Amino acid sequence: MPAVTRRSYTGPEDLRAMQGLAQRIWSKASSLHVGDLAWQRFQHTGREAEWPTVLWEAGGEVVAWGWISLPGELMLLVDPAWPGLASEVLGWFEDTASAAELAVTVLDAEKHVIAALERSGYALQQSSVFQSYMSRLLVDLPAPVVPGGFTVRPAGPDDLARRVAVHRAVWHPSRVTGPSYRNVMAAWPYRSGLDWVAEAPDGRFAAQCLIWLDDRNAVGELEPVGTLPEFRRAGLGRAVCLAALHAAHHAGAREAVVYPVIGHPKSVAALPLYRNLGFRPYARTLTFTRTRRRIPPSPGPASPKGACQRT
């Protein structure tokens, strides 16, 4: 096998390489969609020092990477063909993180990473809060039913302020801003035709659904989705999601996935919505933690990377 080299993240081109690994190993045993990485990296600005990131490469391709959200949370992706690298990523995490308790969240199907966590002394935490991984094929999609007076359409380049406003109101408190959303819109694989909103009679955006399309695997991911509190239970969330799903199907998607957080107060309506849309669970996240006695000195400014927060 080719030699493996390790290096720090240097910028958006490296994110694209990390997305390349996500595409190559995409299946229902993979925890990350290319759109999830873009959204998490670009939804906020000014957080680079909080996100140390390292890439492992072999044969000109990224075969593993780790992304820390300081002080002590890790997201990682490891090619199953290189299972030994999971332990290397965990070793780097321990050397870099500054928290007394380290936390790693993985998909329950990532058996090679779970095995490395257990070998490294991590224990599975029993929690009522987790992400449910859900999917549906984009066949037999019903037509969206839009409440009277509302319009469902893609957001355009002149809609930035309202697009940011609906997101910030839905996910309050949110760190998404106009400049950060411009970064989202400039990121691969964002498509303006898959960024849908429901416009209220007073001109406000009342609901949102952004779909990210992985054209290599023909899978679209819904991230983020939300409706303003005063417009909930009116069918707007269903309507805007269906409109966006039809657009994704037209753009080449055969399947869609969504990852609602179960057990969190902000997401109480998410599971019924996605079930109503025909999504069914196929996996869930697991969180492993490890408490250590010796904490290394806090690192200085770190390499850029996207974070695990979703707001």
Side-chain angles (χ1 to χ4, degrees):
M1 299 182 79
V4 177
T5 58
R6 169 182 143 178
R7 64 178 179 84
S8 295
Y9 180 96
T10 60
E13 290 187 2
D14 285 345
L15 182 69
R16 185 67 183 86
M18 293 162 64
Q19 291 170 310
L21 172 59
Q23 277 191 309
R24 291 197 312 274
I25 67 171
W26 172 261
S27 70
K28 290 185 177 176
S30 175
S31 61
L32 292 163
H33 186 276
V34 293
D36 206 27
L37 293 174
W39 173 249
Q40 292 187 47
R41 172 62 182 90
F42 294 112
Q43 64 170 311
H44 301 153
T45 60
R47 302 192 63 179
E48 287 81 1
E50 302 173 36
W51 300 335
T53 302
V54 165
L55 291 69
W56 282 258
E57 296 175 316
E61 292 183 329
V62 172
V63 292
W65 53 258
W67 163 359
I68 298 172
S69 182
L70 293 173
E73 297 181 20
L74 174 68
M75 180 167 62
L76 75 164
L77 195 63
V78 179
D79 189 331
W82 296 82
L85 291 180
S87 295
E88 290 197 29
V89 178
L90 294 175
W92 163 77
F93 176 40
E94 181 160 350
D95 291 341
T96 307
S98 56
E101 183 174 81
L102 305 179
V104 185
T105 298
V106 298
L107 200 65
D108 56 6
E110 293 181 286
K111 303 301 184 184
H112 59 305
V113 179
I114 292 172
L117 285 163
E118 292 173 341
R119 288 195 303 269
S120 298
Y122 286 80
L124 175 64
Q125 299 302 297
Q126 300 299 326
S127 174
S128 59
V129 179
F130 60 93
Q131 279 183 273
S132 176
Y133 277 52
M134 308 180 75
S135 71
R136 72 152 292 164
L137 295 177
L138 297 184
V139 294
D140 301 323
L141 279 172
V145 177
V146 183
F150 290 84
T151 302
V152 175
R153 63 175 178 83
D158 297 329
D159 295 325
L160 178 64
R162 288 184 293 168
R163 185 66 183 83
V164 171
V166 66
H167 182 91
R168 289 176 62 85
V170 167
W171 298 103
H172 178 79
S174 171
R175 297 173 68 169
V176 170
T177 63
S180 72
Y181 207 82
R182 285 192 190 93
N183 291 340
V184 168
M185 295 167 70
W188 183 89
Y190 176 88
R191 298 189 187 192
S192 59
L194 300 181
D195 192 352
W196 282 70
V197 293
E199 187 172 4
D202 62 6
R204 285 183 296 165
F205 288 165
Q208 59 171 352
C209 176
L210 173 56
I211 295 185
W212 300 85
L213 177 58
D214 174 354
D215 54 5
R216 175 172 175 170
N217 295 293
V219 178
E221 182 202 10
L222 285 68
E223 173 71 337
V225 174
T227 303
L228 292 181
E230 59 264 44
F231 294 110
R232 290 172 185 166
R233 301 187 181 279
L236 286 173
R238 175 179 169 84
V240 76
C241 286
L242 282 173
L245 288 168
H246 276 282
H249 190 210
H250 182 73
R254 296 191 300 269
E255 181 182 11
V257 295
V258 67
Y259 311 146
V261 179
I262 307 302
H264 192 282
K266 281 190 175 182
S267 302
V268 65
L271 191 58
L273 170 65
Y274 297 129
R275 282 177 172 164
N276 182 266
L277 288 168
F279 285 87
R280 296 294 179 263
Y282 63 87
R284 59 163 293 180
T285 57
L286 303 174
T287 297
F288 289 79
T289 62
R290 176 185 173 191
T291 301
R292 54 186 181 169
R293 296 177 181 176
R294 180 180 176 275
I295 305 173
S298 298
S303 304
K305 178 68 222 81
C308 302
Q309 290 83 353
R310 312 180 79 86
T311 59

